[in-house]
Amino acid sequence: MRIQGCLRSMLVALAVATSALAAPACSKSPEITAESIDDNWALTEQHEPGSVVMTVAPDGQVKVLVKDRDGKPIEEGVSGTVTLKAPGKGGAPTTVELVPEPKSGGVLTAKLPALEDDLTEVGYEFKAKGSELKGVLHVPRGGTRELEENAKNGQDIKLDGTKGPNGGVLQIVGDDVIEIVADKETGDVRVYVLDLNLKPVPIGEREIKLGITRGGGSEVIVLAPGPDRLYFTGKLTVKVNPTKITVVVKDGGHTNVVLCGYRPRSVIVVGPSAPVLGILVATTWAVKVVARPTVVVHDDDDDDGRVIIVRKGKGKGKHKWRHKH
């Protein structure tokens, strides 16, 4: 009997210990909260009724926080879905409902398929305090983190307000500076690769696609090489200046993806009040393409604060941007 009593005491003690170990797991803190989501590679889109803070991970994990006009997290009464539309797959989009993350201060989560393409369209539709918030993100395989990191890499070089030789929008993508421009009459799009003097050079073996977002819709345009590989060409389905352009440039086994004009941790204005990217211009395509890339030799003792480009290769226009402080 004494042995049985000892066994019962041991079993009770073991059960108590097991319960004590399990208790912290039940009260586990959320991975991301309303206070920390901005520090976890999230993009913020500002709508009229409020803002959407969203992070998309490579494995398809989505975390969202909706804020009111005053920037305060809305902790209750938010519902909605996120939809993944993979380009060129031919299948139906995947739509998943968001669920609240307990003890997170208003963060909602959803699990989409993993990001397998170099550019994937992720749309969202939310309802909060009687208002609807709809939008689209074009994200690379690395998710929103990759967009944030690529924005950091190019933030020292200022091209804001500078127009390209054809009057289009300029953007640095990896080691390239490109011009995005479209004919406002036909909707024909061209993308040029530019040299040190912002003159077009041959595109080499690059590949480029654009994720276009505008009021009322979005699209992904896979551009084709133009004659003699002097530029890329494509066509807008709607002749309206976009509010967002996400650019993919592949070259030499490397892929770079950037959101045009985006700075790390900045707010992206969307909706009717969003500023547009003026790529639609009246053009005659009269700008000539330089036959060979420029070679610039940089003297490290020169401290004039200029932006330096170093080019090499036959017709590829490979180069490196550096901003000296």
Side-chain angles (χ1 to χ4, degrees):
M1 293 295 292
R2 292 177 61 186
I3 294 176
Q4 290 179 345
C6 289
L7 287 174
R8 280 197 298 270
S9 298
M10 290 175 63
L11 289 174
V12 170
L14 184 60
V16 171
T18 303
S19 299
L21 290 173
C26 295
S27 59
K28 182 180 178 181
S29 299
E31 181 181 340
I32 295 179
T33 65
E35 291 76 21
S36 66
I37 190 169
D38 283 320
D39 299 321
N40 283 269
W41 317 104
L43 296 181
T44 300
E45 296 205 328
Q46 182 67 51
H47 298 257
E48 294 290 342
S51 58
V52 173
V53 186
M54 179 184 242
T55 178
V56 183
D59 63 357
Q61 187 70 43
V62 178
K63 296 185 183 296
V64 176
L65 177 68
V66 179
K67 298 181 179 180
D68 61 20
R69 284 191 178 94
D70 298 323
K72 297 180 180 179
I74 303 176
E75 297 190 39
E76 297 181 354
V78 180
S79 63
T81 59
V82 286
T83 299
L84 181 145
K85 182 180 178 182
K89 298 298 184 181
T94 301
T95 299
V96 180
E97 187 172 350
L98 287 143
V99 295
E101 180 77 10
K103 303 179 182 180
S104 66
V107 175
L108 298 97
T109 66
K111 182 65 170 67
L112 292 168
L115 305 175
E116 298 180 350
D117 295 277
D118 49 32
L119 201 64
T120 299
E121 182 179 299
V122 178
Y124 60 83
E125 294 188 17
F126 306 132
K127 291 183 178 179
K129 292 187 174 181
S131 300
E132 290 188 345
L133 302 93
K134 297 181 180 180
V136 172
L137 302 180
H138 289 103
V139 292
R141 284 188 180 89
T144 52
R145 175 171 184 164
E146 184 175 340
L147 291 176
E148 281 284 316
E149 289 179 336
N150 288 345
K152 287 182 179 180
N153 292 338
Q155 66 181 337
D156 288 337
I157 303 171
K158 308 299 183 183
L159 291 175
D160 300 339
T162 305
K163 290 292 185 181
N166 293 282
V169 171
L170 297 182
Q171 177 62 44
I172 295 171
V173 187
D175 288 337
D176 290 320
V177 58
I178 64 170
E179 179 189 21
I180 307 169
V181 63
D183 189 307
K184 70 177 185 179
E185 298 296 331
T186 65
D188 292 335
V189 179
R190 288 191 184 184
V191 172
Y192 290 86
V193 179
L194 307 180
D195 70 1
L196 172 65
N197 300 309
L198 301 183
K199 301 297 184 184
V201 297
I203 62 176
E205 300 303 317
R206 294 174 181 80
E207 301 175 25
I208 292 183
K209 66 174 64 173
L210 306 175
I212 301 288
T213 305
R214 58 182 173 272
S218 65
E219 62 181 317
V220 174
I221 304 175
V222 180
L223 300 175
D228 299 321
R229 302 189 72 87
L230 300 180
Y231 52 82
F232 291 94
T233 183
K235 197 174 186 68
L236 295 172
T237 57
V238 180
K239 290 177 284 186
V240 175
N241 277 319
T243 55
K244 292 190 298 181
I245 303 177
T246 308
V247 186
V248 180
V249 176
K250 291 184 179 180
D251 186 25
H254 298 283
T255 301
N256 287 287
V257 186
V258 301
L259 181 57
C260 280
Y262 178 71
R263 299 293 179 189
R265 302 289 293 269
S266 61
V267 174
I268 306 164
V269 180
V270 297
S273 61
V276 298
L277 296 169
I279 65 171
L280 286 166
V281 301
T283 180
T284 58
W285 308 117
V287 177
K288 301 299 182 182
V289 177
V290 179
R292 291 185 179 181
T294 304
V295 177
V296 178
V297 179
H298 173 61
D299 181 0
D300 286 333
D301 293 331
D302 181 9
D303 193 21
D304 59 0
R306 291 177 299 170
V307 173
I308 303 300
I309 302 176
V310 178
R311 293 186 169 277
K312 60 184 178 179
K314 295 182 179 179
K316 288 188 177 182
K318 293 274 293 179
H319 58 281
K320 182 167 114 180
W321 285 81
R322 182 172 64 189
H323 181 71
K324 294 192 67 182
H325 297 281

